[in-house]
Amino acid sequence: MSMLRKFDAGLMAVIIATLIATVILALTSPDYFTLVFAKEDGLVEYGTALFLLIASIVMARHAASLWGQGRRGAAILTAVYGLMFFMAAGEEISWGQRIIGWESGEFFLENNKQDETNLHNLMVGDVHLTKSLFGPVLTICILLYLVGLPLIYPKGGRIARLADRMAVPVPWLKHAAIALIASIIIAVLDADRKWEVYELIFSLLIVSIFLLPQNRDATR
């Protein structure tokens, strides 16, 4: 087994362990789950930021490889994918604001739900902008990517060719299965901050997909 596949197996093991720990702690010790396990600036949140950052680095390396092969369009798109995940990593920890301890500017103090320097908690009046406008759409897009694309891609056709042309890393069925299981578990659990765990699972899945997608040859 190659080092890459061993690392991927490790990611799967971490996902399973995280889901098991989440269920046990949420059911037996909800206070510990909320105040320690999934707390803000805790292991789960920092883990999410770390793996989102790793995902962005993987995409940056793939972009450089595609550029060297002369696939300039695919390289630019891959660089954009990487930038998106770099932004997500920074947003997850408010760009290190709570770690370093610097103050938000006037705009974010007036328009951010948590008075922090990030975009995902922006408010317009009483409306949480990101959650209200982009939340449902983003959720649908993520599920189509994680669950729909792995089923469609092996059949070939226009969507498969488009995914290869755009260097979109295609998940495997194992990623779809884990995404569905995690979604069901998180949905039925009655625990505060359970969505922090969901974000960690997503970040781990993304790294696994980016490293070893179905269309590996088309993405690097």
Side-chain angles (χ1 to χ4, degrees):
M1 182 184 293
S2 68
M3 288 298 297
L4 200 57
R5 294 196 179 278
K6 288 181 180 179
F7 183 72
D8 183 62
L11 291 174
M12 296 299 104
V14 172
I15 290 174
I16 293 170
T18 300
L19 286 173
I20 292 173
T22 294
V23 172
I24 292 174
L25 292 175
L27 294 178
T28 62
S29 185
D31 287 342
Y32 183 88
F33 176 85
T34 301
L35 300 176
V36 179
F37 183 71
K39 71 174 183 177
E40 189 169 45
D41 296 331
L43 184 62
V44 168
E45 188 170 51
Y46 286 150
T48 300
L50 173 62
F51 284 101
L52 289 172
L53 179 61
I54 292 173
S56 74
I57 294 171
V58 172
M59 286 289 97
R61 290 176 61 87
H62 291 174
S65 175
L66 290 167
W67 187 272
Q69 297 171 40
R71 296 182 59 193
R72 302 300 167 84
I76 292 171
L77 284 173
T78 301
V80 171
Y81 306 150
L83 179 60
M84 289 169 56
F85 281 92
F86 178 79
M87 294 285 292
E91 284 282 302
E92 181 67 19
I93 55 173
S94 297
W95 300 99
Q97 181 174 4
R98 295 188 300 273
I99 298 172
I100 300 173
W102 46 274
E103 294 293 328
S104 297
E106 183 177 347
F107 173 81
F108 288 101
L109 289 174
E110 293 178 356
N111 298 285
N112 189 279
K113 183 180 179 181
Q114 296 182 337
D115 297 331
E116 294 177 347
T117 306
N118 59 54
L119 300 176
H120 68 277
N121 282 320
L122 284 180
M123 303 287 293
V124 176
D126 294 328
V127 177
H128 191 169
L129 190 62
T130 303
K131 185 175 292 185
S132 299
L133 295 182
F134 304 112
V137 175
L138 183 60
T139 299
I140 292 172
C141 290
I142 290 173
L143 287 176
L144 284 175
Y145 172 70
L146 288 174
V147 179
L149 192 55
L151 295 171
I152 296 172
Y153 182 82
K155 298 178 181 180
R158 184 177 301 175
I159 293 179
R161 290 193 298 271
L162 183 62
D164 287 346
R165 191 175 303 120
M166 297 179 66
V168 176
V170 178
W172 292 91
L173 287 179
K174 69 176 182 180
H175 300 118
I178 291 173
L180 284 175
I181 292 169
S183 296
I184 293 170
I185 290 173
I186 296 300
V188 299
L189 280 179
D190 182 17
D192 292 334
R193 298 190 63 79
K194 62 183 182 179
W195 298 107
E196 298 297 329
V197 175
Y198 197 52
E199 291 174 0
L200 175 59
I201 300 299
F202 171 76
S203 68
L204 290 162
L205 278 176
I206 284 297
V207 172
S208 174
I209 294 165
F210 287 0
L211 286 174
L212 291 170
Q214 286 196 51
N215 56 342
R216 185 178 180 184
D217 292 339
T219 60
R220 67 196 68 192

